[in-house]
Amino acid sequence: MKIIVALLIFGVIITFHELGHFLLAKKNGIVVTEFSIGMGPRLFSKVYHGTRYSLKLLPIGGSCMMLGEDEINDNEGAFNNKNVWARISTIFAGPLFNFILAFLLALFVVGMVGYDPARVVNVPEGSAGANAGLQVGDIITEIDSENVVFARDISTHFDFKPIKSQNPITVKFKRNGEKLSTTLIPDAEKRYMLGISYSPDSQGEAQITLLENSAFKDAGIKNGDVITAVNGTEIKTSADLSSYLGSHPLDGTALSVTFTHNEKSNTVNVTPRMTEWYTIGFNYNQGYEKTGVFGVVRYSISEVRYWIETTVKSLGKLFTGKVGADELGGPVRIVSELGNVVDAKEDIGIKNVIIILFNWGILLSANLGVMNLLPIPALDGGRIIFLIIEAVRGKPLDREKEGFVHMLGFIALMILMVFLFFNDIKNVFF
C-alpha cells in the first residue's frame, strides 16, 4: 500500500508537469502526438483532434510527446517550426505547473493547519535578544536582509548560515504594527553538545537532523533517524527528548542512545563534545495558527516560496561540496519516507497522514520545478538556455549538435540516477 501511495504522488506531480507542456503546446499550435498518464503498456487510448490520449499501466508519471521536438519535421505544427518565444513558453510551462501544483496543495495544508508565525515567545534577561531590545510578541520580518515570513525561515537561515562568531546580525521586526530594526550581537557559550536539531515542543516522534561536527553522526546515526530511548528512558516524542536533556544536563559522559533506522532498532554510545556555541538570545514560536481566507492564500504563496528557496540553497551547498554523497537522497529514500508516513496512520490518524503527504507533495513538486529549470542539457532549463541563445542570435544553433549535447546531458542524468539508487539502497537498508 505504501509503495502505491508513493507512486501515485510521484505520478500526479509528473503528470501535472507534463500537463503544463501540453496546454501551452496546444495554445501555441504545436502538434502533440500523445499525452499519456502513466508509463509502460497502454491500458486505454483514444485519438482526438490529432492527439492520442493514453492511460498506461504504471502510475509513475506521464508524458507529452510533441511533433518535431527532437528531429527535423516540415509540418507547420512541428515544435521546432514555431517561433522561439512559443517554444520557450511551452518548455517553461512544465516547471511553472509544478509551482502551481505546490500552491494548490499548500492551500489545503495551510487551510487545515495554518502557518507558523515568526513571533518571539521568550527573551531571557541579559541575553543577546534582550540587549538588542527584542520583546515577547515581536514579529521577526527580516534577518541580515533575508525575508522572514515563517518561524521556519529563522531556523532555515541559521541552518544554511550557522553563527560562527559574534559578528553583528541585523534583525527587522514588527511591534504593534510598527516596523523596527535592531542589531544583535550573538551570545558566545561553551557547553557539551550532541550536534543535532529537532522540534523540542513537538508531540511527534523524535526525528533528528544532524548538525556540522555531530557526535551523533560519528556514532553512526543518520539524518532522519528517530530517537526512541536515552540511557534506558523511553522517548516517544521530540518533547520527551527535550525534557530528558533538560533534566539531565550534558557533562561529557557518554549516553546510551537507542534509535530506529528504516524500522530497525539500534543502540549506540554517543559522547557529547565541548563545543563553542553562539545563540541569538531569544526563542521563537514553534506552533501553527489558523488564518482567514486571504491569509490562506498569502501564506500558501509563501509556503511555495519557502520550498523553492530551500531547494535552491540546498543545491548551492551541493555544488560547493558542503553536502556529502551520503546525504543525497533519491526515489528509494523518498518512497521509504512516504511509507513511514503511511505506516504511522494508526498513531497519528488518517487526517494527519493526509496533511503530511500533502506537505511532501508541496516539497517534491517545488523541488521538481526548480530541478527542471537548472541549465543542464536534457532538462527543461537546458533547453530554455539553447532557445534564449537562439533568440539573441536570431537563428537556431545546429540542431544535430544541440541534440548531441542533450543526449550527453541525458546520459549524465541517468548515471546520477543510478548513483542515487544505490546510495539509497545503502542508506535505507543497511
Side-chain angles (χ1 to χ4, degrees):
M1 179 62 183
K2 59 187 181 182
I3 294 178
I4 293 175
V5 170
L7 291 178
L8 287 174
I9 290 174
F10 277 122
V12 169
I13 291 171
I14 296 172
T15 300
F16 213 80
H17 175 98
E18 298 298 333
L19 179 63
H21 292 315
F22 170 79
L23 292 178
L24 265 292
K26 286 290 189 179
K27 183 180 185 303
N28 289 317
I30 298 170
V31 175
V32 178
T33 55
E34 182 176 22
F35 178 77
S36 63
I37 297 176
M39 298 182 71
R42 295 189 184 100
L43 296 177
F44 168 82
S45 72
K46 180 178 177 62
V47 177
Y48 180 72
H49 286 188
T51 299
R52 179 178 294 278
Y53 297 88
S54 303
L55 179 64
K56 297 186 176 181
L57 178 63
L58 303 175
I60 54 175
S63 64
C64 175
M65 308 296 293
M66 293 177 279
L67 183 68
E69 185 177 5
D70 296 310
E71 72 280 342
I72 297 174
N73 193 298
D74 294 332
N75 189 302
E76 182 184 352
F79 177 82
N80 280 319
N81 293 335
K82 294 298 179 179
N83 73 72
V84 67
W85 298 110
R87 283 177 280 152
I88 288 175
S89 65
T90 300
I91 296 299
F92 179 73
L96 176 63
F97 265 55
N98 280 127
F99 300 141
I100 292 173
L101 176 60
F103 170 70
L104 296 175
L105 295 173
L107 286 174
F108 172 82
V109 173
V110 177
M112 293 293 292
V113 179
Y115 75 108
D116 51 322
R119 180 184 298 111
V120 177
V121 295
N122 182 42
V123 185
E125 186 177 349
S127 67
N131 293 335
L134 292 175
Q135 298 177 11
V136 172
D138 290 344
I139 304 294
I140 307 299
T141 59
E142 193 175 293
I143 297 177
D144 278 344
S145 300
E146 285 196 7
N147 190 44
V148 172
V149 176
F150 302 128
R152 283 168 289 158
D153 285 317
I154 302 175
S155 303
T156 303
H157 174 84
F158 291 115
D159 283 343
F160 286 100
K161 296 180 179 179
I163 307 173
K164 296 183 177 181
S165 70
Q166 289 188 291
N167 288 336
I169 297 171
T170 300
V171 179
K172 293 185 178 181
F173 59 98
K174 287 184 179 179
R175 179 182 296 161
N176 299 323
E178 182 182 2
K179 295 180 180 180
L180 301 170
S181 180
T182 186
T183 299
L184 183 151
I185 307 298
D187 291 321
E189 301 179 15
K190 281 191 175 182
R191 56 179 174 173
Y192 286 100
M193 303 288 293
L194 294 171
I196 59 172
S197 69
Y198 58 97
S199 301
D201 298 322
S202 172
Q203 294 302 312
E205 59 186 14
Q207 188 175 58
I208 56 98
T209 299
L210 302 176
L211 303 178
E212 194 175 353
N213 299 319
S214 171
F216 267 46
K217 182 178 181 179
D218 290 348
I221 300 175
K222 298 182 178 180
N223 269 325
D225 287 350
V226 177
I227 308 305
T228 57
V230 178
N231 286 343
T233 299
E234 185 178 18
I235 303 295
K236 292 184 177 180
T237 67
S238 290
D240 289 344
L241 179 59
S242 177
S243 176
Y244 179 87
L245 294 177
S247 58
H248 298 79
L250 301 175
D251 59 5
T253 303
L255 306 177
S256 174
V257 177
T258 302
F259 65 98
T260 57
H261 175 79
N262 192 37
E263 300 180 358
K264 295 179 181 177
S265 182
N266 299 279
T267 299
V268 295
N269 289 326
V270 179
T271 303
R273 293 175 177 169
M274 178 60 73
T275 307
E276 188 170 37
W277 189 254
Y278 298 92
T279 64
I280 54 178
F282 67 90
N283 301 111
Y284 47 90
N285 166 64
Q286 297 291 326
Y288 283 72
E289 298 179 6
K290 290 291 189 72
T291 183
V293 174
F294 293 109
V296 169
V297 175
R298 174 193 172 191
Y299 293 117
S300 294
I301 294 172
S302 293
E303 190 76 29
V304 178
R305 182 273 312 165
Y306 172 82
W307 286 114
I308 290 174
E309 286 187 1
T310 301
T311 301
V312 171
K313 290 177 180 177
S314 298
L315 286 171
K317 291 187 70 174
L318 175 62
F319 291 140
T320 55
K322 295 180 180 178
V323 174
D326 286 343
E327 297 178 71
L328 296 178
V332 174
R333 187 181 299 185
I334 294 171
V335 169
S336 176
E337 294 290 345
L338 292 173
N340 291 337
V341 174
V342 174
D343 287 342
K345 61 182 179 295
E346 293 182 1
D347 295 326
I348 64 176
I350 189 65
K351 175 184 172 182
N352 288 326
V353 166
I354 292 173
I355 290 171
I356 294 172
L357 290 177
F358 271 53
N359 258 319
W360 267 97
I362 298 168
L363 183 159
L364 293 173
S365 194
N367 190 281
L368 181 62
V370 172
M371 295 296 291
N372 263 282
L373 286 176
L374 293 177
I376 297 174
L379 294 179
D380 292 335
R383 292 181 178 275
I384 289 173
I385 290 295
F386 277 97
L387 291 171
I388 291 175
I389 293 172
E390 178 181 334
V392 173
R393 295 177 75 236
K395 61 180 181 179
L397 297 169
D398 185 280
R399 301 289 188 202
E400 290 187 2
K401 291 180 180 178
E402 180 181 345
F404 180 71
V405 172
H406 288 311
M407 181 186 70
L408 292 179
F410 180 77
I411 293 172
L413 289 173
M414 291 302 99
I415 293 172
L416 175 61
M417 288 301 297
V418 171
F419 168 78
L420 290 176
F421 177 81
F422 284 104
N423 199 48
D424 283 352
I425 296 295
K426 179 184 69 173
N427 286 318
V428 171
F429 297 106
F430 300 99

